Amino acid sequence: IGCPDQLGNYAATLAARCGVAVICPAYRLAPENPFPAGVADGWSVLAALVAANGGPLFISGDSAGGGLAAGIAALAGQHGLKLAGLVLLSPWLDLSVTNPSCALSSVRPGCRVTVIEAEGSAWRRGPHRLNAELQAAGIPCRLHCVDDMLHVAVTRELNATGATETLDAMTDFILAALAEKLR
């Protein structure tokens, strides 16, 4: 599930607040298009953007798209492409389903732990572990957690618990990273 059309209001709000262009590409989804189809599509979009303007570029994703964005960012690093930032919203990074938040999500439709266990066998790191690894590598990062916020609420409904706070934190992060790039 998920498509660029569902992100229209969120993308427009983020673009206006940060003064940036936001591109929401349609990439092939699993299970019809298994891994690495989505990564290949994302990498193609990133390569086209680099060729067209060169940056500064951010990669973002929510839920499973957050894991996809993290994977594309890792590829960018392996190819020497330095991103301005990476913004992950409720990213699905822990496919081992060992993070306590998975138990909370298991009662929500579409987030059943048994489904996650059946689908996930790679990309085994949660947000806290990723944050610690980025910090250890000297990569500037911020981890922003909101209690009682629904999964990817900021992309669904800006009036939802924690959505405005999250959008504010994202805006601050993006603007600070852009200011750093323009120095």
Side-chain angles (χ1 to χ4, degrees), residues 27-83:
Y27 56 87
R28 293 174 286 171
L29 301 172
E32 297 82 10
N33 299 285
F35 178 85
V39 175
D41 292 348
W43 180 253
S44 293
V45 170
L46 182 60
L49 290 171
V50 168
N53 89 14
L57 296 171
F58 291 82
I59 297 178
S60 183
D62 66 323
S63 193
L68 177 67
I72 294 166
L75 282 173
Q78 291 171 4
H79 287 87
L81 175 61
K82 188 163 180 156
L83 298 171

Side-chain angles (χ1 to χ4, degrees), residues 111-124:
C111 294
R112 303 221 186 290
V113 171
T114 53
V115 172
I116 293 170
E117 287 173 339
E119 293 176 356
S121 63
W123 307 49
R124 297 184 182 274

Side-chain angles (χ1 to χ4, degrees), residues 48-141:
L49 290 171
V50 168
N53 89 14
L57 296 171
F58 291 82
I59 297 178
S60 183
D62 66 323
S63 193
L68 177 67
I72 294 166
L75 282 173
Q78 291 171 4
H79 287 87
L81 175 61
K82 188 163 180 156
L83 298 171
L86 176 64
V87 177
L88 305 178
L89 303 163
S90 302
W92 186 18
L93 300 172
D94 181 7
L95 300 189
S96 67
V97 199
T98 58
N99 190 307
S101 67
C102 292
L104 297 173
S105 297
S106 68
V107 296
R108 296 195 183 105
C111 294
R112 303 221 186 290
V113 171
T114 53
V115 172
I116 293 170
E117 287 173 339
E119 293 176 356
S121 63
W123 307 49
R124 297 184 182 274
R125 58 178 85 182
H128 295 282
R129 285 181 271 174
L130 177 61
N131 185 65
E133 290 176 18
L134 291 172
Q135 287 179 338
I139 299 170
C141 59

